[in-house]
Amino acid sequence: AEVEAIRQLKLIELAIRLPDDTTDSNAASVTIKVDPFTTVAEAEQMIFRRLGLVFTQAFGLFEANDERQDVLAPNRRVLDVISSWDTSLDDEEKVQDVQKKKKQQHHHHHEEVIADHRQEFKYLLFQAKLCLQTSGPERIEDLLRDPKAVNTIYNQAKRDVLQSRIQAEEKDVTKLAALKLQVDEGDFMPDIHRAGFLIKNMARYIPRDMLPKNAKSKHGETKLRTFEQKIIHKYEKLKGFTPQVAKRNFLDYVERWQTYGAQFFEVEQRKQLKSYPDVLNLGISPHGILLQNPEDKEILDSYAYKEVVTWGHSESKFILVVGDIVQQKRLVFKTPKGEIMRTLIHSYIHFKVQSKMQAAKAGN
């Protein structure tokens, strides 16, 4: 009865952010009502219904700020997640604690690294946790039958490309810009889309890291003009592409990039990989596992899913066995996120197998 009484407490309205259509950020939102017991999985079900998503398996809730998003475990309570962001209460404690530990373990400095620079999250974000293929032999037909799902994945991909969250292939950048222009503006119109019309809006079409540092300098102006010429030249040829076709083509390019769709987790390794830093980003991507240097974002190593022999986790560790039947390497990483990592790998492999079976069935 007591639980029931708490259950009847007023529902709390939450705005959940989404990657949006018009800007290239997480400015869109959907509102749901939760109580103190609502879990992440239950909140996700509410969002699926609100958005009218049919293909739901690829999507989930994240805790996020404008730089980073971490996928949430389905059994956590939504309001507990939000209250965990308020670090003001335990900041004082943490500072004293870290100072004490630093004195105690001067030689164990790297043990503190992970705990020390936890960025503060600001909002809940709904997006794809599995960036499943929309093109090529591993495409997921059920996903393609849901235009709202494809649209959400497209909005997320364009945000990540333009904010330079994924390492862009330079050869594809102006093609992507032309496809996005086709989505935004429709067919090329010579009297509207004249030379110069894109210059001021280039940040909406070219990745942040590729834009000139000083757009007003001679070098900057030349670079922007060159981008514009290349984009318009490609844009003219897209006449007749519907927004949906242009989005699918956009995804077709980015799905081939190595870091596209990777969920990165901060992990610690103990000198197993001698030439690598102690703290690494372990990425779980549509194509396999990536090991990234957190400082310069360089990909140090990658393992396709066919090289992943097995994987497992405990409360504080994630274990990955890579190789083949003859030779195997066992990698142990320290992380509290092992369960989420295991689920993501399992899901990607499941969808890979499913798409192969569908292709085989279609071939017979």
Side-chain angles (χ1 to χ4, degrees):
E2 191 181 328
V3 170
E4 195 48 46
I6 298 173
R7 272 249 177 227
Q8 285 167 9
L9 285 176
K10 223 164 111 200
L11 294 175
I12 294 160
E13 223 171 65
L14 284 185
I16 310 290
R17 304 271 281 271
L18 305 157
D20 72 314
D21 293 333
T22 45
T23 73
D24 307 303
S25 62
N26 302 321
S29 70
V30 60
T31 306
I32 58 167
K33 288 180 176 176
V34 300
D35 66 32
F37 296 91
T38 306
T39 63
V40 165
E42 289 164 345
E44 287 169 351
Q45 290 299 326
M46 294 177 206
I47 299 166
F48 298 153
R49 287 196 292 275
R50 287 297 308 273
L51 297 177
L53 282 180
V54 181
F55 182 86
T56 57
Q57 301 96 302
F59 300 95
L61 266 182
F62 292 66
E63 49 184 348
N65 56 36
D66 289 341
E67 301 301 318
R68 175 179 161 190
Q69 308 115 16
D70 281 10
V71 67
L72 289 166
N75 56 349
R76 283 185 73 185
R77 291 179 182 183
V78 175
L79 296 181
D80 288 354
V81 171
I82 294 170
S83 60
S84 74
W85 305 337
D86 184 7
T87 53
S88 57
L89 304 172
D90 50 23
D91 268 358
E92 197 59 37
E93 240 170 77
K94 208 181 286 170
V95 168
Q96 289 168 353
D97 208 30
V98 168
Q99 282 167 347
K100 200 164 78 186
K101 280 187 179 166
K102 274 184 181 157
K103 279 178 192 160
Q104 285 170 356
Q105 324 171 311
H106 202 61
H107 57 296
H108 283 162
H109 164 66
H110 62 270
E111 284 192 13
E112 303 312 318
V113 176
I114 287 185
D116 266 4
H117 62 268
R118 198 184 131 235
Q119 285 163 295
E120 215 175 305
F121 294 111
K122 301 268 193 291
Y123 51 84
L124 290 170
L125 174 69
F126 178 83
Q127 61 176 9
K129 55 185 176 183
L130 300 171
C131 289
L132 299 169
Q133 304 288 285
T134 61
S135 57
E138 290 190 346
R139 67 182 179 274
I140 304 296
E141 296 296 345
D142 287 349
L143 166 59
L144 292 176
R145 282 192 275 273
D146 184 352
K148 285 180 179 164
V150 173
N151 190 52
T152 304
I153 288 178
Y154 165 77
N155 282 344
Q156 187 171 334
K158 75 177 165 67
R159 176 202 68 198
D160 290 350
V161 169
L162 294 169
Q163 293 187 5
S164 294
R165 292 182 184 200
I166 40 184
Q167 288 146 350
E169 303 264 343
E170 208 150 331
K171 63 179 178 18
D172 296 336
V173 162
T174 52
K175 294 173 197 159
L176 293 179
L179 287 161
K180 182 175 183 290
L181 209 49
Q182 183 70 18
V183 173
D184 295 350
E185 300 268 327
D187 286 346
F188 171 78
M189 313 271 273
D191 49 340
I192 296 172
H193 304 121
R194 290 198 196 109
F197 94 101
L198 254 189
I199 300 286
K200 282 191 172 57
N201 289 318
M202 203 57 82
R204 290 189 57 203
Y205 294 95
I206 293 292
R208 190 188 284 171
D209 290 359
M210 290 188 182
L211 290 169
K213 295 279 175 276
N214 180 3
K216 298 234 173 353
S217 69
K218 205 166 177 63
H219 168 73
E221 282 182 0
T222 308
K223 197 169 180 181
L224 291 179
R225 267 202 300 274
T226 307
F227 273 141
E228 187 184 60
Q229 283 164 355
K230 287 181 177 173
I231 294 166
I232 290 179
H233 177 67
K234 294 178 173 76
Y235 176 36
E236 286 177 40
K237 297 176 181 170
L238 298 176
K239 227 182 174 88
F241 273 43
T242 64
Q244 203 62 13
V245 170
K247 287 172 187 179
R248 291 271 302 273
N249 275 271
F250 185 102
L251 288 170
D252 186 20
Y253 283 108
V254 294
E255 283 170 6
R256 301 173 207 183
W257 298 357
Q258 190 182 30
T259 55
Y260 169 70
Q263 300 290 342
F264 283 102
F265 297 88
E266 199 174 73
V267 298
E268 196 181 325
Q269 60 106 9
R270 293 291 170 90
K271 303 283 179 273
Q272 272 188 296
L273 304 160
K274 288 193 171 53
S275 59
Y276 296 171
D278 289 344
V279 174
L280 292 168
N281 288 337
L282 186 149
I284 297 169
S285 87
H287 306 296
I289 312 288
L290 307 169
L291 295 181
Q292 185 190 57
N293 184 333
E295 296 305 314
D296 59 8
K297 304 289 185 263
E298 184 198 347
I299 300 297
L300 303 169
D301 216 337
S302 63
Y303 307 101
Y305 284 121
K306 61 174 183 285
E307 298 171 72
V308 176
V309 181
T310 187
W311 62 94
H313 72 95
S314 69
E315 263 182 32
S316 60
K317 290 191 180 77
F318 180 72
I319 297 140
L320 190 64
V321 180
V322 292
D324 52 33
I325 296 164
V326 183
Q327 199 176 12
Q328 295 176 3
K329 183 160 64 171
R330 186 172 182 268
L331 302 171
V332 181
F333 301 101
K334 199 174 160 192
T335 170
K337 298 278 181 81
E339 190 174 356
I340 294 174
M341 293 160 76
R342 179 192 68 95
T343 306
L344 287 173
I345 294 173
H346 183 82
S347 302
Y348 272 128
I349 291 174
H350 162 79
F351 279 109
K352 272 188 181 296
V353 171
Q354 190 182 311
S355 64
K356 279 199 175 73
M357 283 163 69
Q358 278 178 346
K361 211 185 284 177
N364 285 338

